[in-house]
Each structure stands twice: as C-alpha cells, then as structure tokens.
C-alpha cells in the first residue's frame, strides 16, 4: 500500500494531492460514488445532428471538478449550446428535457466535490432550492427538484460560493416535436421551433466567437460592446471630507446620500454573475478607491471627475446631476453603456436585449405612473422633480407636442454616448449650468433619469420597456428578506433615504442579503478569499461551516437540501 501511494505521488503528484484532499474533505464515500456511478449515457433515439451530449461511459473526473469552473464543466458535458434569447454565445445553456434529471445529479455532485453549495431557482421565484456548502442531496430530494424544474421553461443554476465569472448558468429546456424537429419551451426563445440541421447555425457553442458562429453571417447578430458606468462616493474618505469642508464649511453633508456601505462591491458582483458579457466597468468618483478593488485589472477603469468635466474650475462637485451630465465624456467609453447607481443590483440573468433593442435603441424603463406636471417649482418641490420640470421645458422647445410625465425607474439606465453628446450640443447652456452647481440647484436638469429617455422616445433613439423591479427601503426590508419569490425581480434597488445610513436593522439585513446572494469575490477584487463583508451580520445567516472550517471528526456529507 505504501509503495503504491509513493509511486502515485512520484508519477502523478496532482492526482495524489486531489485524492488525498477529497478523501478527507468528503470522507471518501462521495468521491468514490462520483467516480463509479456518474457515467453519462448517450441518447439512443435522437439523430446525430444534435450537439455533442455527454458521451457514453464518460466518467465524471474528480480532477475535472476541482480544476475546471463547474459551469464550464457542465457546458462541456451537456452540449455547450448557448444563445437561447439572442443566438449569440452567452451565459445560457440549452438542455434537452430528457437530460434534466441527469443534469441535476451531476450539478449536485460537482457542488459536493467543490464544497461550494448549489442554488436552483426559476425566474418567477418559485421553486427555489438551495444545497448548502459541503452538503449533498438524497434521492428523494433530487426527485423533488426534478419534478419542480421539469415544469418550468427555464431556470437558473448558481454555485454561489465560487469566485470568478463562471458560477451561474441560465438553463433553457428544449424537447422533441418529432424525429427531426425540436422546440425550446421558453416563449422568449430566439427561435422556438427548429429543424435538427439548423441547430448549429441558430445556437452556437458558448466557447465559439459570436462572429464566427453560423454560416449565414452570424456576425450581423453579434452585439456591439457594452460598458457599465458607476458613480460612487464615500463620505468616510478623508480627501473627500477635506473637499466638502473647504467648499461648505458651515453645512453638514447628508449621510444618506454620501455614505458607502459596500454597495459597490456587491453590485459589481451581481453584474459579473448575471451579465458576464459586459466589456469594461468604469467607476466615476472623486474618492480614493476602496481597498478591495483591483485597479490593475484590465476591465476595471477608475475615472476621476477631472477626467470628465470640461471646466475643472467647477470642481469639486457633490451634485449627482452635474456628474451625470458628464458621463458621455468618460475616456474610452463604449457607444452603448449602462449606467448604475451603486445601490442597484442585478437579481437574475440579464442579456443585452434587456437594455438595447435589435436596432441598437436604448430601452427606457419608465415609472408606471406620471408625476412630472407642468407646474412651477417652489421651495417644497423635491430636487429631482425640479430637475425633471426643467428638462421637460427643454424638450418642449424641440418637441412642442410631446408631453413627458414619467421619471425613469430605479433600475439601470441604458444610454448611448453619441445621443448624450447630441443633447450636450443641443442644450449647452443647460448642461453648463448643471455642471457648475456643486449641489443640486433650481437650475439643474436630470440628464440620465429623465431628459435622455424622453428625448429618445420623441426622437426615435429609445423605446419604452417593461421590467420587474423592486425598491427596498427600511420600511419594506423585513418583508423583502422573507419573500420566497424575490428572484422574480430582474433589478433590485436598495434605495438610500429616510435615515437608512443609520438604521441598524436595515444595514444588518442588507449585509445578510449580500453575504447570502453574492458571498464570493469576483475577478475585479483584490482579495479573493472568504466573503469580505465589512458590514454587520448575524451568526444565524452565516450558514454551515465550509469543509476547511469543519472539525475533522464531523460528518462530511449530510443528505440535506433546503427549500428556501
């Protein structure tokens, strides 16, 4: 026995190490079961023109599970066909319905070997299954998961405790119509019914480049690069405090508006999990960067106010309207970009077509109700409404018969750099006045939350859209945290105001939400270890110990699966 182990260590040191760790982390039983029982049978009845499916007698390798991102491994095992909603490679995976039970079992085994946990949920929020890190699932539980997900058209699979981009997949089920035709169950499918011979042209492999997939000019379907822009402020930054005190020595700052509670960290994690197709992320600020961001990463761009304001004499500024009037001046910014406040989170997989239509027009998600009336402003008029009325008056000069009423919802803003520049050129005085106001003023316009979208709707560069979104405030945080269907929202905004910066219960719940939903560091972070939250958390929400934390004599696997 000793000689065999020594020989294995000399010839295959990596295999020796992984076998050694696997036996101690998982007690040996689960690892052996994976090696022996997870051969993936090939389909016997479907034609060879279908994508590569798990080959017959293929075994799930322990080393594959440990070395490859789980979602990449699942793609390779189950065909790698992507582009369910657009025909472009993305985070979706087309899965044949009769492979669903096998898919669930393999995903559970991967999560067990990696000790990373597993989460499965439908986009309407129910059902939701969560397997905690280091735990497995009984056959009865696997059957329960299969029965629930088999009734859906699509669902999301996440490995929430894994770092990096490859920790979430949007699964779309397809089925046979007859021996040569197939149908995607989702009504939103790029092509719902198709012939087997068309599959390779319609739905490329995720590993393929979009401009080379297909034979009929798939490059015409390839979306233009899309960037993300954040505006961010941190009142605890000493340099920012010096600027504020020098500019407004007698006026205290509003903590709700200028406090940072790590929203940026978790919002970026949500973007890279649910929209990994974005190109670069730009953070516009007049503060020092937080220590958790890796500024050397090529996809992260740190942008100071001096880089975007045409007249530096108006700086420093503490007016979000002024900053938003300069976003199109961010160096190297893509033509199409999405503007985020740092309190806005993606809550489910998102695709370019959720922000720009097939013609490249911005999708405007306006509030369902109107509140911008043509009345005059007074001392009691909220500053956001003042800016909207000023913007409406500008629009009346160009489009006299257009009557804007709705503000943009508290969701990401889809914007085009050239359209913003056109607005800047059309209304230069209004832009200059707004940029010169160091705090929100009676002469402001709100470019990104009103002017841009209504100008686009009147001019034809924007279209109106509808989405599922929720604003979370202290008054509804408790209900949100216990909502079993919270995954049904595409966007969530943890809106500041009403004393949120000092509301301990609100901050604690927000921390618990972030540590549960986005616990692992992303590739733009400098620290890649355990969850990093600097906010308050409670022991009851910490979850079970990871394999590294569990005592040596504790059972490695428990047949436990939570129905959240």
């Amino acid at each position: 026995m000793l000689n065999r182990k020594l020989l294995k260590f000399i010839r295959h040191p990596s295999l020796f190490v992984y076998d050694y760790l696997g036996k101690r982390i998982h007690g040996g039983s689960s690892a052996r079961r994976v090696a022996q029982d997870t051969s993936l049978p090939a389909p016997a009845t479907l034609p060879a023109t279908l994508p590569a499916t798990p080959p017959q007698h293929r075994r799930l390798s322990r080393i594959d599970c440990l070395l490859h991102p789980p979602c990449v491994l699942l793609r390779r095992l189950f065909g790698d066909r992507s582009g369910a909603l657009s025909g472009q490679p993305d985070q979706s995976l087309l899965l044949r319905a009769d492979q669903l039970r096998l898919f669930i079992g393999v995903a559970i085994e991967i999560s067990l070997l990696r000790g990373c946990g597993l989460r499965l949920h439908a986009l309407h929020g129910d059902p939701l299954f969560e397997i905690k890190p280091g735990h497995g699932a009984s056959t009865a539980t696997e059957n329960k998961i299969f029965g629930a997900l088999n009734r859906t058209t699509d669902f999301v699979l996440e490995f929430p405790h894994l770092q990096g981009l490859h920790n979430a997949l949007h699964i779309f089920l397809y089925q046979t119509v007859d021996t040569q035709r197939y149908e995607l169950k989702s009504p939103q499918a790029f092509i719902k019914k198709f012939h087997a011979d068309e599959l390779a042209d319609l739905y490329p492999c995720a590993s393929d480049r979009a401009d080379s997939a297909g034979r009929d000019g798939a490059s015409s379907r390839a979306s233009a690069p899309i960037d993300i822009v954040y505006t961010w402020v941190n009142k605890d930054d000493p340099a920012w405090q010096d600027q504020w005190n020098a500019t407004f020595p007698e006026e205290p700052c509003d903590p709700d508006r200028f406090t940072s509670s790590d929203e940026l960290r978790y919002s970026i994690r949500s973007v890279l999990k649910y929209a990994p197709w974005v190109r670069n992320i730009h953070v516009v600020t007049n503060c020092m960067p937080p220590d958790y961001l890796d500024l050397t990463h090529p996809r992260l761009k740190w942008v100071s106010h001096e880089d975007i304001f045409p007249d530096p004499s108006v700086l420093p500024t503490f007016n979000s309207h002024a900053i938003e009037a300069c976003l199109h001046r961010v160096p190297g910014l893509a033509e199409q970009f999405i503007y985020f406040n740092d309190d806005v989170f993606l809550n489910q997989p998102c695709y370019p077509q959720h922000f720009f239509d097939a013609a490249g027009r911005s999708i405007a998600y306006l509030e369902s109700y109107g509140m911008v009336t043509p009345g005059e402003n007074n001392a009691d008029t909220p500053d956001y409404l003042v800016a909207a009325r000023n913007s409406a008056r500008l629009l009346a000069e160009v489009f006299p018969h257009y009557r804007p009423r709705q503000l943009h919802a508290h969701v990401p803003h889809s914007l085009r750099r050239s359209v913003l520049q056109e607005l800047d050129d059309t209304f230069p005085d209004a832009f200059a006045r707004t940029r010169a106001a160091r705090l929100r003023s009676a002469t402001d316009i709100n470019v990104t939350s009103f002017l841009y979208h209504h100008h686009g709707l009147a001019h034809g560069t924007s279209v109106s859209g509808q989405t599922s979104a929720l604003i979370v405030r202290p008054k509804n945080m408790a209900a949100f945290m216990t909502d079993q269907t919270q995954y049904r929202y595409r966007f969530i905004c943890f809106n500041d105001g009403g004393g949120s910066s000092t509301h301990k219960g609100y901050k604690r719940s927000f921390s618990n939400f972030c540590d549960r939903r986005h616990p692992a560091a992303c590739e733009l972070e400098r620290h890649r270890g355990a969850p990093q939250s600097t906010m308050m958390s409670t022991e009851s929400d910490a979850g079970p110990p990871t394999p590294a934390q569990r005592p040596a004599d504790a059972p490695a696997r428990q047949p436990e699966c939570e129905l959240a």
Side-chain angles (χ1 to χ4, degrees):
M1 176 69 70
L2 179 61
N3 291 339
R4 287 202 305 271
K5 288 186 176 181
L6 180 61
L7 187 62
K8 184 176 183 179
F9 175 76
I10 295 172
R11 292 182 176 179
H12 305 288
S14 297
L15 183 59
F16 177 89
V17 170
Y18 285 124
D19 279 348
Y20 180 88
L21 293 176
K23 290 177 181 178
R24 278 148 184 78
I25 292 175
H26 303 295
S29 61
S30 65
R32 286 193 293 272
R33 185 164 71 86
V34 172
Q36 295 171 3
D37 297 339
T38 57
S39 58
L40 305 177
T45 59
L46 300 180
T49 50
L50 278 173
T53 53
Q56 193 169 9
H57 306 307
R58 167 135 186 198
R59 297 182 185 276
L60 188 61
S61 164
R62 218 175 321 168
I63 292 183
D64 281 344
C65 290
L66 292 167
L67 292 184
H68 298 290
C71 288
V72 173
L73 185 57
L74 285 171
R75 283 190 179 281
R76 292 176 181 174
L77 292 174
F78 289 92
D80 200 27
R81 289 297 170 186
S82 182
L85 302 185
S86 67
Q88 302 170 36
D90 53 30
Q91 70 267 38
S92 66
L93 173 65
L94 274 64
L95 178 68
R96 211 175 63 227
D98 62 359
Q99 293 273 332
L100 176 59
R101 186 185 295 273
L102 179 62
F103 179 85
I104 293 170
V106 172
I108 291 173
E109 292 292 354
I110 292 175
S111 73
L112 180 62
L113 283 173
R114 293 294 296 261
C116 59
L118 180 65
R119 187 179 294 147
L120 301 136
H121 61 88
L123 292 189
H124 52 72
D126 185 35
L128 168 61
F129 296 95
E130 185 160 355
I131 299 174
K132 294 183 178 180
H135 294 176
S138 65
T139 301
T141 301
E142 290 187 20
N143 290 338
K144 186 177 183 179
I145 296 173
F146 168 76
L149 295 180
N150 195 43
R151 295 192 295 269
T152 67
T153 63
D154 59 290
F155 62 92
V156 179
L157 173 146
E158 299 180 20
F159 296 93
H161 292 81
L162 283 184
Q163 303 169 10
L165 288 174
H166 306 290
N167 58 4
L169 277 178
H170 191 180
I171 312 300
F172 289 82
L173 300 176
Y174 71 97
Q175 58 194 3
T176 60
V177 177
D178 53 41
T179 57
Q180 291 294 323
R181 289 188 302 159
Y182 306 92
E183 178 181 13
L184 268 170
K185 290 185 176 183
S186 172
Q188 304 179 56
F190 174 65
I191 299 293
K192 187 173 177 62
K193 294 183 180 181
F194 52 90
H195 193 274
D197 293 335
E198 299 174 315
L199 184 63
D201 290 335
L202 297 175
Y203 295 107
C205 291
S207 56
D208 293 344
R209 292 182 56 186
D211 59 2
S212 63
R215 65 190 178 199
D216 59 346
S219 59
S220 63
R221 297 201 306 262
S223 61
I226 299 175
D227 285 353
I228 302 290
V229 174
Y230 282 95
T231 52
W232 181 72
V233 65
N234 175 20
K235 76 173 184 61
D236 295 324
D237 177 20
W240 185 92
Q241 292 176 357
D242 290 343
Q243 290 181 345
W244 177 273
N245 293 331
T247 308
F248 305 106
E250 305 298 327
E251 187 173 347
C253 70
D254 180 356
D256 285 354
R257 179 161 289 177
F258 298 111
T259 295
S260 171
S261 298
D262 258 6
E263 296 97 338
L264 180 65
R265 180 206 300 264
Y266 292 102
S267 180
I268 290 177
R269 288 184 185 181
S270 78
V271 167
L272 293 184
K273 175 187 288 188
Y274 292 131
W277 42 265
V278 302
R279 188 182 68 164
N280 294 326
I281 293 180
H282 308 259
V283 182
V284 176
T285 184
N286 59 352
C287 297
M288 293 294 293
D291 61 2
Y292 55 80
L293 284 182
D294 180 7
L295 298 188
T296 66
H297 197 284
R299 294 180 67 188
L300 179 61
K301 314 296 180 182
W302 198 257
V303 184
S304 69
H305 289 176
E306 288 79 5
D307 296 329
I308 63 174
F309 272 76
D311 180 7
S313 68
V314 303
L315 298 175
T317 188
F318 309 91
N319 180 1
S320 62
H321 292 156
I323 300 165
E324 291 164 355
C326 298
L327 295 184
H328 57 292
R329 300 174 56 85
V330 169
L333 184 63
E335 163 64 13
Q336 295 179 338
F337 69 98
I338 308 167
Y339 169 47
F340 275 70
N341 293 122
D342 65 357
D343 58 2
V344 173
F345 288 59
L346 301 186
N347 194 50
Q348 57 180 237
C350 294
Y351 300 87
Q353 58 265 37
H354 292 144
F355 304 97
F356 300 93
D357 73 357
R361 295 174 295 183
S362 303
I363 298 178
Y365 294 117
L366 303 181
E367 297 281 9
S368 58
Y369 52 87
M371 62 184 305
V372 182
T373 61
E376 293 299 322
N377 298 320
N378 55 53
D380 296 326
T381 306
D383 51 20
Y384 63 86
L385 188 53
V386 169
R389 285 175 172 170
N390 293 339
S391 299
R393 295 187 185 99
L394 293 182
L395 291 170
E397 297 174 9
V398 183
F399 308 106
H401 301 295
Y402 182 76
R403 295 290 183 268
R405 292 288 183 267
Q406 299 154 290
L407 293 166
H408 196 275
H410 287 69
V411 300
H413 301 70
S414 306
L415 305 171
R416 286 177 53 187
R417 182 169 47 82
S418 61
V419 176
L420 285 167
Q421 184 61 58
E422 180 182 349
L423 288 170
D424 194 348
D425 296 338
T426 303
F427 308 111
D429 294 338
F431 271 72
R433 285 194 301 270
T434 301
R435 290 168 179 157
R438 288 192 165 97
L439 290 176
R440 292 188 177 187
S441 73
T443 60
D444 279 3
I445 56 174
N446 47 355
V447 177
T448 61
S449 60
F450 190 85
L451 178 63
Y452 175 94
H453 306 286
H454 285 290
H455 179 275
L457 292 172
H459 193 254
T461 54
S462 297
V463 293
S464 183
Q466 294 182 337
T467 191
S468 53
L470 179 69
I471 301 177
V472 181
R473 297 185 173 97
K475 64 181 180 181
N476 67 336
M477 174 60 97
F480 169 75
M481 291 297 289
T482 58
D483 184 0
Q484 299 297 322
T485 61
Q486 60 183 234
Y487 282 90
R488 71 185 185 272
Y489 302 110
R490 181 172 295 155
F491 308 118
I492 295 177
C493 175
F494 291 91
N495 196 233
D496 290 326
S500 60
S501 62
T502 57
H503 193 294
K504 291 185 178 180
Y506 179 76
K507 291 172 68 68
R508 183 183 298 110
S509 294
F510 175 69
S511 173
N512 292 339
F513 170 84
C514 292
D515 285 340
R516 177 180 174 85
R517 292 292 303 277
H518 307 291
C522 70
E523 66 171 20
L524 302 188
E525 293 180 56
R526 179 179 296 145
H527 309 301
R528 305 291 182 86
Q532 306 275 333
S533 176
T534 60
M535 299 175 290
M536 295 174 289
S537 61
T538 59
E539 185 177 352
S540 62
D541 291 283
T546 63
Q549 298 168 325
R550 191 182 302 113
D553 58 350
R557 185 183 184 206
Q558 302 177 24
E560 177 180 330
C561 177
E562 284 192 350
L563 176 58

